[in-house]
Amino acid sequence: MGSADSKLNFRKAVIQLTTKTQPVEATDDAFWDQFWADTATSVQDVFALVPAAEIRAVREESPSNLATLCYKAVEKLVQGAESGCHTEKERQIVLNCCRLLTRILPYIFEDPDWRGFFWSTVPGAGRGGGDEDDENARPLAESLLLAVTDLLFCPDFTVQSHRRSTVDTAEDIHSIDSCEYIWEAGVGFAHSPQPNYIHDLNRTELLKLLLTCFSEAMYLPPSSDSSNTNPWVQFFCSTENRHALPLFTSLLNVVCAYDPVGYGIPYNHLLFSDYREPLVEEAAQVLIVTLDYDSSTSSSPTVDGTTTGTAMDDVDDFQFILKGVARLLSNPLVQTYLPNSAKKIQFHQELLVLFWKLCDFNKKFLFFVLKSSDVLDILVPILYFLNDARADQSRVGLMHIGVFILLLLSGERNFGVRLNKPYSVRVPMDIPVFTGTHADLLIIVFHKIITSGHQRLQPLFDCLLTIVVNVSPYLKSLSMVAANKLLHLLEAFSTTWFLFSAVQNHHLVFFLLEVFNNIIQYQFDGNSNLVYAVIRKRNVFHQLANLPTDSQSIQKGLQRKKKSPEPISRTNSQDGVSMEGSRPAAPAEPGTLKTSLVATPGIDKLTEKSQVSEDGTMRSLEPEATQLSLEENPAAALSDGEPWSGDASHSRRDRRRLSSASSSGQWTPTPDWVMSWKSKLPLQTIMRLLQVLVPQVEKICIDKGLTDESEILKFLQHGTLVGLLPVPHPILIRKYQANSGTAMWFRTYMWGVIYLRNVDPPIWYDTDVKLFEIQRV
């Protein structure tokens, strides 16, 4: 009965607050205590008993009461942190205030007039009299953040006490060195504390409040201005927060040490509820948000281990993080013979953002990842997610981040070399069965995304092919399946209607030709499958070399689309059987919510070119030299049909010069435009190869009456083109470069994920979010 009573009392207090037109004095403890003193409510109860409409009504009609409620709730948290929460009653008060603030904060943030309220030093309505000490001159936001971080290292509340006896020698919260209370073994901490699910639950609630504090970012429209720092995150990561480093370490260790499979007992998760998973999810979300602010303005140890040498600088730490992230990303792929026997985690998107942030911030970590063969344990799950999500419009953000990570990795030679490792683990994926390497897997999955993903993925084609170009000089032997897929893409992208139907479509052909050139020039010996595929499809190259450029042919090429089905979706006869246990990628369930994303910059903004020297070192190329040619300047990629607001102006200028705009304002191809890029198609190497090898292959076929592929392949394996091909061109790598466009993309994607994943309780639902739009699929 007690619980029902306390809910009733709490509800009465909420109604009183909304109906009182007169300000309630801050000193009226009898009134304010109703909100937290004797209630036994869960966070779900608080959300149910404090409806959105009533919070907004108080905000509009009795603002001083809302101000006092916030101020008093923060005051209770500060008192709880000061006293160390030794009694059950104090803990209850802290948790109730925590839940109430989690409920109210989004409604403070959605109103521009209130947004600065927590940064004011006078907490609104009548303060209790008496002497104010200097401590109270802090803005409310700072007091709140410091109290929450203190509470996250509060013995017997959120961490194990180190005291042997409990006889009135409670630990003083101020003398505690929180580095000794890190939550889990891992980075910088060897001791794994005894798990305690009450502590885990309390930490989860406090982290939820922390995340809600940081979510002010959701209520500001997207802007590419990087000075747009989040004051909450900035203060939290500053040296004023003495717990910043131990808390960052605790969050990282809790995430990376988590093992959802438990002790390897099937169905274990059905017997015991896993109280750790909600904590791990919350920890991952708080981590990625604290890593999302301009690291150049900060030398904070929480962000970049390389600035201070205190955090994350050690090979063992790197190994722990990489193994942990790889284990968790692979979790949804671990299929056993018993369906549902292993617990399936849902926070892989947060893990991908975390992995991205760690690689982007800490170059030492990135190089460690690339040197380690474990990088393939990151690659395979990413390819699995990309393949699985390709038909689902609500997961277009997941597709982008997976591709961005692979683009970042592909800029380093080691990644291309690693891809030669045979692919033997058989993850059930809806792709053709093949025997080969991780490079084959990557090419086959990319082909599947391009040929059978939904329309919204088109802006990613440039990125996908750039990754293949970056790794191509290192690929020792492609399988026949992968070789055929590459030629199928070239065939589809070089049809006249595709080349003439959009201003940047021909870039895709340039990328593919670069792939063939790299492999023929640098890896001819092991690649007889690819050479054979090129010979078989030689007419595609001849058609490209003889592409018509007169107006009449251009018009005819564009007409052809209306008659024939899109060649890109044509399935290939060699597709054959899909892997065992795989399910086709499904579109989003109707009614699925998704959040909008800002457009990503074009590939020329995303990457910068580097040339690989003889000794394997790279030097960056001067951008001026490359920008002159239209080839290297694809129009800014469009995402969801909106042009990116970055500086696409000069590429528009080039376009206007080389094409004519029709009366409808639509772009139309002209002979000059086609000539401008056709003359640059890098076909010499392939034409020379065909000139030398085709007669020899034909002669074998006639001499031996052969129709047998294996004999031809055997001949090609032993063939050589030494001295017959043009001088090898230098290897060009397009390395990812950080820019304000991608920074903004990551911010909207990350907060969109956090918004959609927090449904119980629904912290931000039905509030006036500005960073993205919420849409139904």
Side-chain angles (χ1 to χ4, degrees):
M1 184 64 186
S3 158
D5 277 352
S6 68
K7 276 183 208 172
L8 195 61
N9 293 342
F10 179 72
R11 180 69 193 128
K12 275 187 195 150
V14 174
I15 292 168
Q16 282 177 318
L17 186 71
T18 48
T19 49
K20 278 188 193 296
T21 45
Q22 291 304 305
V24 185
E25 284 299 321
T27 48
D28 184 353
D29 286 339
F31 175 75
W32 297 112
D33 282 352
Q34 303 175 91
F35 289 97
W36 39 74
D38 56 6
T39 51
T41 51
S42 66
V43 68
Q44 285 78 6
D45 293 334
V46 170
F47 272 67
L49 298 170
V50 188
E54 294 182 18
I55 304 174
R56 289 191 176 113
V58 177
R59 189 181 71 193
E60 307 312 324
E61 288 146 38
S62 34
S64 74
N65 285 345
L66 181 60
T68 308
L69 181 67
C70 292
Y71 158 60
K72 295 293 283 184
V74 172
E75 186 181 61
K76 288 290 172 197
L77 290 179
V78 171
Q79 286 168 4
E82 289 286 314
S83 72
C85 277
H86 294 305
T87 67
E88 200 43 58
K89 186 172 168 57
E90 283 177 292
R91 290 171 198 164
Q92 200 53 62
I93 289 175
V94 161
L95 290 171
N96 286 330
C97 292
C98 184
R99 291 157 188 162
L100 197 58
L101 286 166
T102 302
R103 179 62 172 142
I104 294 171
L105 273 167
Y107 298 90
I108 301 269
F109 294 150
E110 74 174 4
D111 183 336
D113 296 337
W114 275 84
R115 213 167 283 143
F117 166 70
F118 271 84
W119 293 97
S120 56
T121 41
V122 185
R127 302 269 314 252
D131 303 325
E132 302 293 354
D133 55 30
D134 290 341
E135 188 54 21
N136 283 338
R138 276 196 179 283
L140 201 51
E142 294 186 5
S143 303
L144 171 55
L145 289 172
L146 292 174
V148 171
T149 49
D150 270 341
L151 287 163
L152 284 166
F153 291 102
C154 187
D156 292 325
F157 180 51
T158 48
V159 292
Q160 221 63 59
S161 171
H162 289 182
R163 287 286 159 103
R164 285 286 165 269
S165 83
T166 48
V167 189
D168 65 25
T169 52
E171 289 153 288
D172 171 22
I173 197 86
H174 294 289
S175 63
I176 275 179
D177 174 5
S178 42
C179 289
E180 293 173 11
Y181 287 87
I182 286 171
W183 300 350
E184 187 62 62
V187 174
F189 195 67
H191 164 68
S192 212
Q194 195 59 35
N196 178 320
Y197 86 101
I198 299 289
H199 294 175
D200 275 5
L201 294 175
N202 295 342
R203 292 165 177 174
T204 305
E205 299 233 32
L206 287 160
L207 290 178
K208 223 182 260 309
L209 173 55
L210 208 46
L211 194 61
T212 310
C213 291
F214 296 157
S215 70
E216 184 179 284
M218 281 196 209
Y219 298 91
L220 303 170
S223 93
S224 55
D225 181 11
S226 60
S227 65
N228 193 356
T229 47
N230 182 330
W232 294 84
V233 175
Q234 200 164 14
F235 178 78
F236 174 82
C237 292
S238 72
T239 47
E240 296 218 41
N241 173 9
R242 68 191 183 100
H243 301 300
L245 185 60
L247 187 54
F248 181 81
T249 310
S250 292
L251 298 173
L252 190 62
N253 291 355
V254 157
V255 171
C256 294
Y258 177 56
D259 181 7
V261 179
Y263 299 102
I265 308 164
Y267 300 103
N268 202 10
H269 65 293
L270 303 179
L271 306 176
F272 310 103
S273 83
D274 179 357
Y275 49 84
R276 183 110 292 193
E277 187 179 26
L279 173 65
V280 174
E281 290 194 0
E282 214 66 52
Q285 291 174 5
V286 171
L287 260 181
I288 59 181
V289 171
T290 52
L291 285 171
D292 179 55
Y293 79 109
D294 189 10
S295 57
S296 61
T297 59
S298 139
S299 60
S300 152
T302 58
V303 172
D304 181 0
T306 51
T307 55
T308 59
T310 50
M312 286 227 323
D313 216 355
D314 180 50
V315 170
D316 291 340
D317 291 347
F318 290 162
Q319 184 65 20
F320 166 74
I321 294 167
L322 181 57
K323 281 263 193 257
V325 172
R327 178 179 62 249
L328 290 169
L329 284 178
S330 306
N331 160 272
L333 291 56
V334 179
Q335 299 276 348
T336 61
Y337 291 111
L338 312 167
N340 306 323
S341 64
K343 185 182 180 75
K344 198 167 179 177
I345 61 158
Q346 300 298 323
F347 57 98
H348 48 273
Q349 298 192 87
E350 292 94 319
L351 285 165
L352 290 170
V353 176
L354 176 61
F355 181 74
W356 168 268
K357 295 271 177 212
L358 293 173
C359 289
D360 202 24
F361 275 135
N362 194 324
K363 288 295 168 259
K364 291 184 184 175
F365 178 66
L366 175 61
F367 292 131
F368 174 82
V369 168
L370 288 160
K371 280 210 305 273
S372 152
S373 54
D374 292 344
V375 69
L376 299 175
D377 297 335
I378 300 280
L379 169 74
V380 172
I382 288 178
L383 292 175
Y384 172 85
F385 293 130
L386 291 179
N387 186 56
D388 189 53
R390 67 180 193 273
D392 181 345
Q393 289 213 16
S394 70
R395 291 196 281 167
V396 67
L398 170 64
M399 299 291 296
H400 277 75
I401 185 169
V403 172
F404 285 154
I405 289 174
L406 298 182
L407 180 65
L408 178 70
L409 296 175
S410 75
E412 305 297 335
R413 173 180 178 275
N414 263 340
F415 182 66
V417 172
R418 289 269 167 242
L419 290 180
N420 291 308
K421 189 178 173 187
Y423 174 69
S424 50
V425 279
R426 285 283 173 252
V427 174
M429 280 161 89
D430 176 28
I431 54 170
V433 177
F434 70 96
T435 304
T437 64
H438 284 74
D440 295 306
L441 178 69
L442 178 128
I443 287 167
I444 292 166
V445 168
F446 283 10
H447 173 270
K448 194 93 178 184
I449 294 167
I450 291 170
T451 57
S452 66
H454 56 79
Q455 287 299 108
R456 285 251 171 94
L457 298 179
Q458 282 196 352
L460 280 176
F461 290 3
D462 275 346
C463 260
L464 291 166
L465 293 186
T466 298
I467 294 164
V468 181
V469 173
N470 281 349
V471 300
S472 60
Y474 311 110
L475 304 183
K476 292 196 180 324
S477 65
L478 286 186
S479 69
M480 190 59 93
V481 178
N484 284 330
K485 295 299 180 207
L486 285 175
L487 279 141
H488 176 232
L489 289 178
L490 181 69
E491 202 174 359
F493 289 147
S494 58
T495 58
T496 47
W497 78 260
F498 183 79
L499 283 174
F500 298 158
S501 62
V503 71
Q504 71 277 43
N505 281 357
H506 61 280
H507 295 298
L508 300 172
V509 169
F510 275 80
F511 285 139
L512 284 163
L513 291 175
E514 205 176 324
V515 171
F516 296 132
N517 287 339
N518 280 343
I519 293 179
I520 291 165
Q521 291 277 21
Y522 290 98
Q523 299 289 350
F524 179 81
D525 283 358
N527 274 297
S528 50
N529 287 328
L530 184 78
V531 174
Y532 179 61
V534 166
I535 291 172
R536 273 189 49 223
K537 290 282 183 186
R538 55 190 178 274
N539 64 319
V540 180
F541 299 97
H542 290 299
Q543 279 164 5
L544 266 176
N546 300 314
L547 191 72
T549 55
D550 58 289
S551 303
Q552 204 181 353
S553 305
I554 292 173
Q555 283 318 306
K556 215 157 87 190
L558 288 169
Q559 295 307 304
R560 210 167 290 166
K561 182 192 178 178
K562 299 182 178 101
K563 298 191 203 97
S564 64
E566 208 175 324
I568 197 72
S569 59
R570 199 176 50 201
T571 50
N572 221 353
S573 52
Q574 305 118 359
D575 263 19
V577 226
S578 267
M579 294 180 139
E580 196 183 337
S582 66
R583 291 184 319 281
E589 296 282 318
T592 306
L593 286 183
K594 68 174 192 136
T595 53
S596 64
L597 289 163
V598 292
T600 54
I603 195 74
D604 58 327
K605 298 280 179 303
L606 268 179
T607 55
E608 65 179 7
K609 291 182 148 187
S610 301
Q611 199 170 311
V612 181
S613 317
E614 294 290 303
D615 59 358
T617 55
M618 289 197 193
R619 63 184 184 85
S620 191
L621 292 180
E622 287 302 309
E624 287 73 61
T626 54
Q627 289 230 304
L628 298 174
S629 107
L630 188 69
E631 268 23 282
E632 315 312 348
N633 195 356
L638 304 186
S639 159
D640 294 3
E642 302 150 21
W644 187 62
S645 59
D647 80 17
S649 52
H650 54 259
S651 56
R652 261 192 225 108
R653 203 167 48 242
D654 291 347
R655 265 186 267 170
R656 222 170 299 135
R657 205 179 68 237
L658 293 165
S659 58
S660 63
S662 62
S663 53
S664 65
Q666 283 283 297
W667 171 85
T668 55
T670 63
D672 279 354
W673 172 76
V674 178
M675 275 306 296
S676 74
W677 53 261
K678 180 192 165 180
S679 60
K680 301 197 184 95
L681 283 168
L683 286 164
Q684 307 81 327
T685 299
I686 293 171
M687 289 310 189
R688 186 79 187 108
L689 173 135
L690 292 173
Q691 199 187 342
V692 174
L693 291 180
V694 170
Q696 298 183 350
V697 169
E698 283 175 343
K699 185 172 186 311
I700 294 177
C701 293
I702 295 164
D703 287 357
K704 304 201 172 174
L706 271 187
T707 49
D708 181 19
E709 279 187 6
S710 60
E711 285 287 330
I712 298 169
L713 283 167
K714 205 175 290 174
F715 163 74
L716 291 174
Q717 262 161 16
H718 296 106
T720 172
L721 291 175
V722 175
L724 296 171
L725 292 180
V727 175
H729 56 288
I731 296 176
L732 275 188
I733 300 290
R734 292 171 183 80
K735 288 171 81 93
Y736 167 80
Q737 56 169 356
N739 60 78
S740 57
T742 41
M744 194 61 235
W745 185 90
F746 271 98
R747 187 165 304 142
T748 52
Y749 170 62
M750 170 184 78
W751 279 112
V753 168
I754 290 171
Y755 176 98
L756 292 172
R757 296 261 297 113
N758 283 275
V759 281
D760 183 26
I763 300 180
W764 299 281
Y765 271 46
D766 297 327
T767 61
D768 189 13
V769 169
K770 291 277 192 292
L771 185 61
F772 43 76
E773 287 164 27
I774 293 95
Q775 303 148 342
R776 279 191 188 279
V777 178

